Amino acid sequence: MSLQTRSMDRTTGEKAQNWQQYRIFIEEMNSLIGSALVEEFRNDHENDINPNIIVGNGERLPKGATKLIKSANTTELGQVVLDCDIIIFHQNYCQAEYAFKLLKYANYATPKTFVLISTPLTWSTTNLKEKKQEETAVRQSILNEDELQQFKKYDRFTENDLLNRKINQFERLKHLEQQVLGCEKKELKTYVITPGLVYGNGEDILYELFKTVWMTPDAELPIYGEGNNIIPMIHVNDLAIIVNKAVFLCPQDKYIFAVDYENMTQKNLITTIAKNVGNGNTKTVSYCFEKMLMMNVWLRPTQIFESDDQYIDAKKNPIINWQYKEGFTKNISKIRDQFKIYRGLDTVKLIVHGGPAAGKSYLSQKLSTYYRIPHIQIKKLIQDLIDSNTEIGELVKTTLQQIKEQLIAEAQAIFEGEKKKKKIPKGQPEPVFDSSNIVPRLPDSVLIKAYQWRLQQNDAQNLGYVLDGFPKTMEQFEKLFLNENNQLIDDIKPKGVIYLNYSDDELKEKARLIIDQPRYTEDQMSRRIANFRKSNDSLLEQYEQFEIKRIIDSETIFDQAQEFITRNGPILVLQDKSEDDQIQIEIMQEDVSPDLQITQEQQQLQEKEQVITVTQSQVQQSQLGVVKKKGDQLNKSLNESRVSKEKQKLTDEQKFEQYKQQEKEQLDLRSQPLRQYLADNVVPYIAEALIVLCEKHPENPIHFLADFLEQKGNELQANGSIGQ
């Protein structure tokens, strides 16, 4: 059964036991591309009788793979390559060249397929292709002015433009591509696939950009120059699909572009990440450290699998089932969620619930600062919306203005009526109507929209939130968190509720500690507590569907809340604070109604009494990646603390000299095995090659050295002197 026949069997739905088993080698299985390839080629979840055998190198064995090998051991690598039906390289081009030549010159009976995944940087020094025809009206209608100016002058490269490609920095890779494309061995099918910038599944090249906006609320993502350079892109899952189709459909064309259908510029790429993952801020820089973001290449999505002469039903039943065909911009929400999942990030989504004066704002602000999550309270939310230039902000301003005008009119009418009833004594000033004390309240219909808008902002979606005393009623809960089908809205629903469960007497006692606050008088507290109790039972019943932590001990309130949050293990929230950093938490007002006014004296008194210092713990060390074991963290923390105290006794000059000496010792220690390895296995042959080079004076000394070392390596391999 040929590869193509097997593919058709699979697509037509034949049973797993009729499938042919393939042995597949995938280089660097734990990398972004390698992981996607493993997932694409594994079939153990569909075929548990004779699933594909997937082998490769990497740090750990991924799910679906069968065996890990040491690629540095050329003997083992060679044996595995010769034993496999499908061989895919995408990173180490030196090993790819070794594997390809081994396949090219070796004898074997069963057919094999070799795939080399190249890089779009091989096109980066080729001038853009001048457009031969005017831009179509359809394209002009979908591009903005900046993009139109960039794209209307040029045309996209196709696979047929390969001979016109100019390469200045990847000569050896170009030479390898030429060998792979020129292979005419009957038993060996070869393909070179050039992808765009690969994204998705936790990111690789774009990782630093995602990390920056995720960790830093006020970050500005850098745009290099004007940002009009064109960057071809492809989601890693779609790249894996194209590799799969090339292997099993065996197209006649050996050179294939793997690019999505979006016309992406660097500026559009950076702006999309900034707006949809961060705060939307960008800045212009003069240098970019990532070459992929500097390239200016426009590649056409491959049409090899859409050719009618090869696949008659391609238009009715597309060969490639794209997952992200429209590109990065239209799928940014999915890509952001993937980043969270693949990097093991978690969100802290909490409601802090309790009666008046329970300390909700105190705890909410403390948790917000500790976990670096948004503290959402009514008064600040409304003010932020009023200051913003958004549609919901305009709605809030208009509604508050209308309600205030109505309240002023009603209050003035009452004032005028009372004024007419009373006679003003002679010599007394005539009373004047004062509207400054009239503070409007937003109706629930607008308030709910404001909260839903806030919970859907990037920082709340990325990191989570702590809701300060809201919702207050059952009706508010349903309107905020339930959709039209009475189901919880997934992207904003809370994960847990902290209930400050104090009795009426305890709440009144807490209120007495708040000085000069008229809303906390005995009568006011009794009325507010009564209103709270009316809705409390029904709210707690709804909160049972989440996890609830009831806190009754106010002295350990933060410790209990922290224990509740990390009940299933440390929270992977990105932190950029060191363990020794200290944070001062400003105490916010307890009640967050828009009309609540706290005097400056009261605020200062609260700050003096309640400002605290919190030492950052293991959560601050939970960077992108796997959380370390608690024992290791404790030992590391103790060691760092001891070293820190010793260093404080030294002068700056002594510290510098000590660092230099320690660095030198570490470098010497680490480099010893490498130097010995080079001295035993590399230096003698390079010296021999240089001697021969000086004797013969070839026209191209670099190619001569490469060929000489390759020949020497083959001789040593044949003699069994290396690779053991």
Side-chain angles (χ1 to χ4, degrees):
M1 179 183 292
S2 68
L3 298 181
Q4 187 170 354
T5 305
R6 184 265 184 181
S7 175
M8 295 309 174
D9 286 345
R10 182 173 181 178
T11 56
T12 54
E14 288 223 0
K15 294 183 179 180
Q17 53 264 36
N18 294 330
W19 289 357
Q20 179 177 339
Q21 183 183 66
Y22 287 95
R23 298 180 65 88
I24 305 168
F25 172 83
I26 297 176
E27 182 212 0
E28 292 295 340
M29 292 192 293
N30 301 131
S31 66
L32 179 67
I33 295 178
S35 299
L37 289 171
V38 170
E39 190 62 29
E40 177 65 24
F41 281 93
R42 62 177 290 210
N43 62 353
D44 54 299
H45 48 296
E46 301 171 336
N47 174 13
D48 57 357
I49 298 177
N50 58 342
N52 290 334
I53 298 174
I54 300 177
V55 298
N57 60 311
E59 297 179 358
R60 60 190 181 279
L61 188 68
K63 188 174 183 179
T66 309
K67 180 182 178 182
L68 275 177
I69 71 165
K70 297 179 180 179
S71 59
N73 187 330
T74 54
T75 299
E76 183 179 12
L77 176 62
Q79 291 174 347
V80 169
V81 166
L82 290 175
D83 193 41
C84 285
D85 306 301
I86 302 165
I87 302 93
I88 306 172
F89 279 87
H90 63 89
Q91 189 165 307
N92 192 323
Y93 298 124
C94 292
Q95 291 183 352
E97 185 176 17
Y98 167 77
F100 169 72
K101 290 187 175 181
L102 188 63
L103 291 170
K104 182 177 180 181
Y105 296 111
N107 295 321
Y108 38 85
T110 58
K112 299 182 183 298
T113 302
F114 179 87
V115 178
L116 175 68
I117 301 177
S118 187
T119 168
L121 290 176
T122 59
W123 288 82
S124 60
T125 54
T126 306
N127 293 331
L128 288 174
K129 186 178 178 182
E130 294 289 339
K131 185 176 289 296
K132 296 181 180 180
Q133 57 187 9
E134 292 297 324
E135 190 66 50
T136 64
V138 175
R139 185 179 298 277
Q140 291 180 14
S141 65
I142 63 175
L143 297 176
N144 60 45
E145 186 61 29
D146 291 339
E147 291 175 327
L148 183 60
Q149 291 299 322
Q150 178 71 355
F151 290 104
K152 71 180 183 180
K153 298 192 302 183
Y154 302 105
D155 213 341
R156 294 173 293 185
F157 289 116
T158 70
E159 288 93 340
N160 295 329
D161 293 312
L162 181 61
L163 295 177
N164 299 324
R165 183 179 61 175
K166 307 293 183 184
I167 293 184
N168 296 334
Q169 299 177 345
F170 297 90
E171 283 291 341
R172 186 152 192 183
L173 177 56
K174 176 185 177 181
H175 182 63
L176 174 59
E177 287 183 1
Q178 290 173 340
Q179 294 182 73
V180 173
L181 296 174
C183 179
E184 297 182 355
K185 187 171 184 177
K186 183 178 179 181
E187 297 84 3
L188 180 63
K189 290 187 176 296
T190 57
Y191 296 96
V192 174
I193 297 178
T194 297
L197 185 156
V198 181
Y199 63 88
N201 293 5
E203 304 307 324
D204 183 12
I205 296 171
L206 301 179
Y207 165 76
E208 287 298 334
L209 295 174
F210 274 78
K211 176 185 174 183
T212 298
V213 294
W214 205 282
M215 292 182 62
T216 312
D218 57 349
E220 296 179 329
L221 288 188
I223 297 176
Y224 170 67
E226 295 181 358
N228 291 328
N229 54 300
I230 305 171
I231 302 177
M233 301 184 70
I234 182 92
H235 192 282
V236 66
N237 292 348
D238 289 328
L239 171 60
I241 291 173
I242 291 176
V243 173
N244 181 294
K245 296 306 178 184
V247 167
F248 291 125
L249 293 179
C250 305
Q252 296 177 358
D253 297 311
K254 295 185 175 184
Y255 189 75
I256 302 171
F257 283 153
V259 179
D260 62 33
Y261 281 73
E262 182 175 18
N263 297 326
M264 177 67 78
T265 63
Q266 181 214 161
K267 183 177 181 179
N268 190 16
L269 171 61
I270 302 299
T271 303
T272 299
I273 298 175
K275 288 183 178 179
N276 294 276
V277 185
N279 55 23
N281 296 334
T282 60
K283 63 181 178 181
T284 301
V285 297
S286 58
Y287 183 75
C288 179
F289 290 96
E290 178 52 63
K291 292 182 179 179
M292 283 284 192
L293 298 177
M294 297 172 63
M295 66 178 169
N296 191 20
V297 181
W298 198 12
L299 306 179
R300 184 191 69 181
T302 187
Q303 297 181 1
I304 288 176
F305 302 109
E306 300 174 8
S307 175
D308 290 340
D309 59 345
Q310 290 193 61
Y311 312 108
I312 298 175
D313 63 344
K315 292 184 178 180
K316 294 181 180 179
N317 301 300
I319 298 298
I320 300 178
N321 295 318
W322 289 85
Q323 295 183 19
Y324 299 85
K325 183 176 182 179
E326 299 84 1
F328 187 86
T329 303
K330 292 186 178 180
N331 291 287
I332 184 61
S333 297
K334 295 180 182 179
I335 297 166
R336 181 185 64 186
D337 292 341
Q338 284 181 351
F339 181 78
K340 184 188 302 182
I341 294 171
Y342 277 81
R343 293 291 176 178
L345 300 175
D346 201 355
T347 54
V348 181
K349 295 183 177 181
L350 291 173
I351 296 176
V352 177
H353 179 64
K360 299 186 294 295
S361 292
Y362 169 76
L363 177 60
S364 297
Q365 180 61 28
K366 197 171 179 181
L367 293 172
S368 170
T369 307
Y370 188 81
Y371 290 104
R372 297 182 74 246
I373 56 177
H375 174 197
I376 302 176
Q377 54 180 180
I378 295 177
K379 187 173 182 180
K380 186 177 184 304
L381 172 59
I382 292 176
Q383 188 58 53
D384 289 343
L385 285 171
I386 291 174
D387 296 338
S388 70
N389 186 23
T390 61
E391 183 177 346
I392 183 67
E394 290 298 322
L395 175 62
V396 168
K397 283 189 287 187
T398 303
T399 304
L400 286 176
Q401 183 64 31
Q402 292 174 349
I403 294 176
K404 186 171 184 177
E405 291 174 355
Q406 182 179 353
L407 291 176
I408 290 175
E410 293 174 355
Q412 191 167 13
I414 295 174
F415 175 82
E416 294 296 337
E418 294 293 332
K419 181 179 176 182
K420 291 179 180 179
K421 293 179 182 179
K422 295 181 180 180
K423 293 183 179 181
I424 303 173
K426 292 182 179 181
Q428 293 292 329
E430 184 177 345
V432 178
F433 176 72
D434 183 12
S435 63
S436 61
N437 293 326
I438 297 177
V439 180
R441 291 175 178 268
L442 277 178
D444 278 359
S445 58
V446 179
L447 194 59
I448 294 299
K449 291 181 180 179
Y451 266 95
Q452 288 181 335
W453 173 87
R454 184 63 185 90
L455 295 180
Q456 289 169 348
Q457 296 308 295
N458 292 334
D459 57 349
Q461 290 294 309
N462 294 344
L463 304 174
Y465 58 79
V466 52
L467 276 177
D468 184 347
F470 193 88
K472 295 177 180 293
T473 66
M474 185 62 191
E475 184 180 7
Q476 288 177 340
F477 172 86
E478 292 176 345
K479 290 182 178 179
L480 178 59
F481 292 117
L482 301 183
N483 58 23
E484 59 275 7
N485 298 322
N486 288 326
Q487 295 176 334
L488 286 169
I489 303 174
D490 286 334
D491 60 345
I492 66 172
K493 68 180 181 181
K495 291 186 175 181
V497 178
I498 296 177
Y499 174 37
L500 305 181
N501 189 12
Y502 301 131
S503 66
D504 293 359
D505 291 339
E506 288 174 320
L507 292 175
K508 291 177 180 179
E509 180 62 29
K510 287 178 177 293
R512 292 189 189 101
L513 300 177
I514 303 176
I515 304 173
D516 297 332
Q517 178 50 257
R519 289 177 63 94
Y520 287 96
T521 62
E522 186 74 23
D523 292 340
Q524 295 276 2
M525 278 298 297
S526 296
R527 179 178 58 80
R528 295 179 66 201
I529 290 174
N531 290 335
F532 169 74
R533 296 299 179 195
K534 287 180 182 178
S535 302
N536 189 46
D537 291 341
S538 58
L539 271 176
L540 288 178
E541 184 178 347
Q542 277 295 327
Y543 289 158
E544 288 294 340
Q545 60 188 305
F546 316 113
E547 294 189 66
I548 298 181
K549 174 66 175 180
R550 289 175 168 83
I551 296 179
I552 58 175
D553 183 5
S554 59
E555 293 185 0
T556 60
I557 181 173
F558 180 74
D559 293 336
Q560 293 185 64
Q562 184 185 11
E563 182 181 355
F564 170 67
I565 292 171
T566 57
R567 59 198 177 280
N568 295 322
I571 296 295
L572 289 176
V573 176
L574 298 183
Q575 303 287 344
D576 56 0
K577 298 287 184 182
S578 66
E579 186 174 356
D580 294 329
D581 285 345
Q582 291 182 330
I583 298 177
Q584 285 191 333
I585 299 179
E586 298 179 359
I587 305 306
M588 310 298 292
Q589 68 269 23
E590 190 283 333
D591 194 301
V592 290
S593 299
D595 60 340
L596 180 59
Q597 302 290 332
I598 294 183
T599 64
Q600 184 66 28
E601 293 79 11
Q602 170 64 22
Q603 211 169 18
Q604 292 176 354
L605 180 62
Q606 284 184 330
E607 290 175 352
K608 289 180 180 179
E609 293 179 348
Q610 297 177 328
V611 169
I612 63 173
T613 301
V614 179
T615 302
Q616 297 299 291
S617 69
Q618 296 173 358
V619 181
Q620 274 73 10
Q621 298 185 6
S622 297
Q623 303 293 340
L624 289 171
V626 181
V627 181
K628 295 182 179 179
K629 293 182 180 179
K630 292 183 179 179
D632 293 338
Q633 290 178 328
L634 180 59
N635 292 334
K636 181 179 179 182
S637 176
L638 293 173
N639 291 334
E640 289 178 349
S641 177
R642 175 180 55 80
V643 173
S644 176
K645 291 179 180 179
E646 293 175 356
K647 288 182 179 178
Q648 288 175 357
K649 301 176 182 179
L650 303 176
T651 65
D652 291 342
E653 185 176 351
Q654 289 173 327
K655 289 180 184 178
F656 181 70
E657 292 298 328
Q658 188 181 60
Y659 289 148
K660 284 175 59 178
Q661 183 62 29
Q662 291 176 352
E663 187 70 17
K664 182 178 179 181
E665 292 174 358
Q666 288 293 329
L667 289 174
D668 289 342
L669 182 63
R670 293 174 183 174
S671 64
Q672 182 60 37
L674 178 60
R675 288 184 299 180
Q676 188 63 45
Y677 172 80
L678 293 174
D680 294 341
N681 301 285
V682 179
V683 174
Y685 307 114
I686 292 181
E688 181 182 354
L690 292 174
I691 293 172
V692 178
L693 176 70
C694 295
E695 292 176 352
K696 296 190 176 182
H697 294 284
E699 292 182 2
N700 193 325
I702 302 299
H703 284 174
F704 176 84
L705 281 175
D707 293 338
F708 181 89
L709 293 174
E710 180 183 0
Q711 182 179 358
K712 177 62 66 175
N714 292 337
E715 292 176 0
L716 295 173
Q717 178 73 33
N719 296 332
S721 300
I722 61 173
Q724 301 300 327

